Amino acid sequence: MTSYGDAAFSLFLRKAFIKAAGYSDDALDRPIVGVVNTESDYNPCHGNAPQLIEAVKRGVMLSGALPMVFPTISIHESFAHPTSMVLRNLMAMDTEEMIRAQPMDAVVVVGGCDKTLPAQIMGAISADLPTVVVPVGPMVVGHHKGETLGACTDCRRLWSGHRAGEIDAAEIDLVNGRLAPSVGTCMVMGTASTMAIIAEVIGLAVPYAASIPAPLAERVRSAEASGRVAAALAVSGRPFPSELVTPAALRNAMVVMQAIGGSTNGIIHLAAIAGRAGHAIDLTEFDRIGREVPVLVDLKPSGEHYMEHFHDAGGVPRLLAELTGFLDLTVPVIGGGMLADRVMRREDMHDQHVIRPLGRPLKSQGAMAVLSGNLCPRGAVIKHSAASPALMQHTGRAVVFESVADLAERIDDPNLDVAADDVLVLRNAGPKGAPGMPEAGYIPIPKKLAAEGVKDMVRLSDARMSGTAFGTVILHVSPEAAAGGPLALVRNGDRIKLDVAGRRIDVLVDDAELVRRAAAARPAVERPERGYAQLYHDHVLQADQGCDFDFLTAAPAAASDIEEAAQ
């Protein structure tokens, strides 16, 4: 706290000013729980944040502590230029510094939209004050012509139908008002749902907090319960976030991410969260887990249902009961005890069809596979649970787009030289290249092919895609083209081979030719002139390390980074 050189006077002055807000000495003598407010008119995902904050405050006060609400940055996926991913690290810095700067004994972070929860968890780990995560919760589903709809898997499916001429302008406008029928995060297994589940599995949120729909009274009661837990943490002073985010807890998170059909963005965020706690995510281990742990949760985009159905089926506690053989249940959780205490008992289970048993999985392997090959020396990711089985082994001709702008300009050109069995390649869309890895990896099917009935193609990029998306899409190629990665060397007409079973993606060009192309290559992205954009460009890590800033992570440097620094 601010010091004026005299400790007694400093306290006297602080109390004088805070009493201007009407606080009594009795209130100020109690444990303090900070409550992060991410309400924003630009963030409909957080539309229920004011109600949840009031409930958190009530829980804190009922437990004898004093809540103090303060604001931080709020990021909505659709209203953040140039991308929400650029701003995730800024929000993490803001969260960390505001927790560190202001007097509090524990903190409650309220958030939910895709980059919000990762940013808040990253900041909380770095500040390392006892923390409770309160997700805002998923939307409820919408309906159209007797069909259940959800943002944004159905957004993409129906828009593809509109592009193909199957849905007219009047109907797509009607659908537009029905896809997101309430406040809250996307109600499919997108990034927001994935990260809320991860927060609960790691032990930073109370049971069922990940899945309760945003508009329900149960969501408000969960927030009140979170306030009670935060008040207890303010008294006990433990556990710290760094004591919860352990290698064992991170491995549990990887198991669950594979089992839920989680967002590909989740592994980037988990790597960043791990890095803040001084650990590293092993992508080889993540892939190995995916070979052993099947997809059990039948939610879009891998399945058919939505988050409210996952909650009705028993949420995370029911899922944990199906995965006990893969998890370390001795890891600690907020509120005391271990993860084992949160596993649903068999006598509390009911018949349902959303969380499958191990003997009857939705997919025989986990949601994601990690690829290697001459195009991605440090890895790439495919969500094969939401891809086309017929394209899991595929060789096709490269059709290259140099940037997101080039993609937007040419993808629907009727003269584009492209066929259904080609491989669409987008580069300079990674952390530095775009900047911020926009969700452009879900390259649209060229309009002329969509009109012919083509629904999927192999698509390859150093970008991300929304966790709500589907298709045979290879993402997070690392290192990215703008950082000198081999994706920069691909040319139109090169043959690219995808072998998901073999976990490889390769351009079928000999090494000598690639070396020749590399010698002639020139940087495609200029360094920004000033401000946060320049800071981001200079210090952002690659996708395999979570796209955090190199000066914020506590994880040991990767061998590849040490070699680059030496050169």
Side-chain angles (χ1 to χ4, degrees):
M1 293 182 289
T2 306
S3 174
Y4 297 93
D6 178 332
F9 174 72
S10 298
L11 176 61
F12 172 79
L13 192 63
R14 281 193 295 271
K15 290 184 72 172
F17 278 108
I18 200 66
K19 284 182 176 180
Y23 291 101
S24 66
D25 284 321
D26 178 45
L28 296 173
D29 285 341
R30 295 171 184 269
I32 305 295
V33 175
V35 183
V36 176
N37 182 7
T38 55
E39 178 193 6
S40 168
D41 286 348
Y42 287 106
N43 197 341
C45 290
H46 293 193
N48 62 338
Q51 186 181 22
L52 297 182
I53 288 169
E54 287 304 311
V56 169
K57 290 168 62 178
R58 183 166 64 248
V60 170
M61 287 189 286
L62 286 170
S63 300
L66 176 66
M68 300 289 286
V69 180
F70 63 96
T72 68
I73 289 171
S74 183
I75 305 171
H76 189 271
E77 186 63 31
S78 301
F79 299 101
H81 177 80
T83 72
S84 60
M85 192 65 169
V86 167
L87 297 174
R88 184 202 65 178
N89 293 351
L90 184 62
M91 183 177 181
M93 294 169 72
D94 182 15
T95 303
E96 173 186 350
E97 296 303 332
M98 289 300 97
I99 293 172
R100 197 190 307 280
Q102 299 170 130
M104 61 191 79
D105 301 295
V107 63
V108 177
V109 297
V110 180
C113 196
D114 290 16
K115 308 306 174 292
T116 303
L117 279 186
Q120 290 179 318
I121 295 170
M122 290 160 65
I125 294 169
S126 295
D128 218 17
L129 195 72
T131 301
V132 180
V133 174
V134 175
V136 296
M139 302 174 195
V140 293
V141 298
H143 301 277
H144 176 68
K145 292 185 174 179
E147 181 183 4
T148 301
L149 296 182
C152 200
T153 300
D154 295 313
C155 306
R156 300 173 193 284
R157 176 178 61 84
L158 294 168
W159 185 257
S160 294
H162 176 58
R163 279 171 51 83
E166 300 165 2
I167 299 174
D168 64 24
E171 185 173 358
I172 201 68
D173 186 56
L174 188 62
V175 165
N176 185 255
R178 296 176 174 177
L179 283 160
S182 77
V183 298
T185 56
C186 291
M187 66 288 267
V188 297
M189 193 56 73
T191 306
S193 299
T194 299
M195 297 315 299
I197 289 171
I198 292 309
E200 187 174 333
V201 168
I202 289 175
L204 287 166
V206 301
Y208 300 100
S211 57
I212 306 167
L216 297 193
E218 186 182 356
R219 169 61 62 188
V220 181
R221 290 193 291 271
S222 176
E224 181 184 305
S226 299
R228 287 182 176 274
V229 171
L233 294 179
V235 174
S236 68
R238 304 293 276 271
F240 300 124
S242 61
E243 295 173 325
L244 300 179
V245 183
T246 62
L250 291 165
R251 191 184 186 283
N252 286 348
M254 289 193 284
V255 168
V256 168
M257 199 179 298
Q258 294 283 20
I260 63 177
S263 166
T264 50
N265 289 309
I267 193 62
I268 293 181
H269 297 316
L270 193 64
I273 288 167
R276 292 298 182 101
H279 310 299
I281 291 296
D282 183 348
L283 290 179
T284 302
E285 173 69 2
F286 183 58
D287 184 75
R288 185 162 48 247
I289 290 169
R291 292 178 184 270
E292 299 172 357
V293 178
V295 177
L296 299 182
V297 177
D298 188 359
L299 256 67
K300 290 189 175 186
S302 297
E304 292 300 322
H305 299 286
Y306 299 88
M307 280 297 288
E308 63 187 72
H309 306 130
F310 175 69
H311 181 63
D312 292 342
V316 170
R318 177 65 182 263
L319 178 63
L320 295 178
E322 303 295 345
L323 291 171
T324 53
F326 298 101
L327 299 170
D328 183 343
L329 298 174
T330 67
V331 298
V333 297
I334 57 166
M338 303 179 295
L339 189 62
D341 302 320
R342 296 187 172 192
V343 176
M344 183 176 284
R345 299 177 303 173
R346 290 291 167 183
E347 57 266 33
D348 294 332
M349 295 182 182
H350 63 280
D351 290 338
Q352 49 81 38
H353 306 286
V354 178
I355 303 172
R356 304 280 192 91
L358 282 173
R360 190 171 50 84
L362 181 70
K363 309 279 184 178
S364 61
Q365 292 191 348
M368 284 170 268
V370 178
L371 308 180
S372 60
N374 67 358
L375 282 174
C376 50
R378 286 167 55 177
V381 173
I382 180 172
K383 188 173 183 177
H384 57 138
S385 66
S388 299
L391 293 174
M392 294 296 92
Q393 301 274 343
H394 183 79
T395 301
R397 185 186 61 152
V399 177
V400 180
F401 299 92
E402 293 293 336
S403 65
V404 176
D406 182 39
L407 172 69
E409 183 178 344
R410 295 196 293 123
I411 191 66
D412 288 338
D413 186 342
N415 296 316
L416 180 68
D417 181 13
V418 64
D421 60 354
D422 289 339
V423 176
L424 304 179
V425 178
L426 170 64
R427 61 184 172 215
N428 297 310
K432 294 179 185 291
M437 293 185 80
E439 292 185 342
Y442 185 71
I443 302 170
I445 303 299
K447 195 169 186 177
K448 68 179 184 180
L449 296 182
E452 295 172 6
V454 176
K455 302 295 185 184
D456 194 12
M457 297 174 68
V458 175
R459 288 160 274 183
L460 170 67
S461 76
D462 46 15
R464 298 178 298 113
M465 80 172 180
S466 170
T468 66
F470 51 89
T472 310
V473 185
I474 299 96
L475 305 152
H476 311 174
V477 169
S478 184
E480 63 177 308
L487 194 65
L489 309 180
V490 178
R491 294 183 178 176
N492 282 309
D494 287 347
R495 304 286 288 175
I496 292 178
K497 181 179 180 180
L498 171 65
D499 176 9
V500 175
R503 299 299 197 259
R504 291 193 65 87
I505 179 80
D506 294 279
V507 59
L508 303 182
V509 175
D510 65 65
D511 292 344
E513 172 61 14
L514 291 177
V515 169
R516 189 186 67 78
R517 292 181 187 181
R522 296 291 180 269
V525 177
E526 294 183 2
R527 183 179 187 239
E529 293 182 357
R530 62 183 298 277
Y532 181 71
Q534 187 182 96
L535 178 75
Y536 189 93
H537 178 275
D538 290 351
H539 293 284
V540 69
L541 297 169
Q542 290 294 292
D544 60 316
Q545 295 175 295
C547 300
D548 201 359
F549 289 154
D550 53 14
F551 59 83
L552 292 177
T553 178
S560 56
D561 289 340
I562 295 171
E563 291 171 7
E564 289 173 11
Q567 293 171 359

